[in-house]
Amino acid sequence: MYSEKVMDHFQNPRNMGEIEDASGVGTVGNAKCGDIMRIYLDIDENQIIRDVKFKTFGCGAAVATSSMATELVKGKPIQEAMKITNSAVAEALDGLPPVKMHCSLLAEEAIHAALWDYAQKHGISIEGLQKPKSDIHDGEESEEEVY
Ligand code: FES
């Protein structure tokens, strides 16, 4: 059912953890399955993603897609990171079963939410970036953020 790459990233997730004083943090949740993903970005003065970490409370595919998404954005300028879609993450994992595609969407959204947080903190706007739909702030439940 799962590709070897998915199993590998699930069993040996890359960049798991958190970044203290991150430039941007994004937390998103899927109201249906209840899974939550948080991405931390460390962005330098040239808007390059110097470091990235994730924490995911979710299914195996969510862990694997978080891991792959962090690998794809690490070292990239923020504009490049913006182009990484959920299907790019799924493709990089050699595919996901159709019922698990929403898990990769969580990875795309978590990155966007972290970039949004970074942009807000720095008073800048990032081309093509919109306010995340399912961003969850600390202490806030995701009830209204159904999509
Ligand atoms: Fe919810 Fe995978 S089942 S993120």
Side-chain angles (χ1 to χ4, degrees):
M1 183 175 176
Y2 288 117
S3 72
E4 270 175 37
K5 273 198 194 162
V6 173
M7 291 311 292
D8 178 30
H9 278 263
F10 169 56
Q11 278 161 345
N12 312 293
R14 328 298 199 256
N15 308 309
M16 198 157 64
E18 59 187 274
I19 297 175
E20 260 182 62
D21 301 322
S23 319
V25 182
T27 309
V28 295
N30 182 303
K32 282 199 190 123
C33 63
D35 292 346
I36 294 174
M37 193 182 289
R38 179 172 295 164
I39 295 265
Y40 301 82
L41 295 174
D42 176 22
I43 298 170
D44 73 10
E45 59 286 356
N46 298 315
Q47 300 193 332
I48 308 283
I49 298 172
R50 192 161 38 191
D51 199 10
V52 48
K53 296 261 190 259
F54 80 89
K55 271 189 176 171
T56 291
F57 309 92
C59 73
V63 172
T65 53
S66 321
S67 168
M68 180 53 90
T70 58
E71 289 273 275
L72 292 175
V73 300
K74 200 170 184 171
K76 298 256 167 66
I78 56 175
Q79 278 305 335
E80 287 293 310
M82 277 295 298
K83 291 185 203 147
I84 294 165
T85 60
N86 76 308
S87 35
V89 174
E91 237 169 72
L93 286 167
D94 291 339
L96 281 171
V99 293
K100 288 285 169 182
M101 278 308 283
H102 77 273
C103 317
S104 61
L105 197 59
L106 218 47
E108 178 189 318
E109 288 186 342
I111 287 171
H112 286 182
L115 285 171
W116 178 264
D117 183 43
Y118 163 77
Q120 293 280 297
K121 283 181 182 153
H122 290 77
I124 58 165
S125 65
I126 299 173
E127 205 188 322
L129 183 63
Q130 285 166 2
K131 193 172 190 310
K133 270 183 273 171
S134 55
D135 198 6
I136 302 169
H137 297 286
D138 282 342
E140 198 180 291
E141 293 299 326
S142 63
E143 282 159 25
E144 300 156 0
E145 284 143 351
V146 179
Y147 59 93

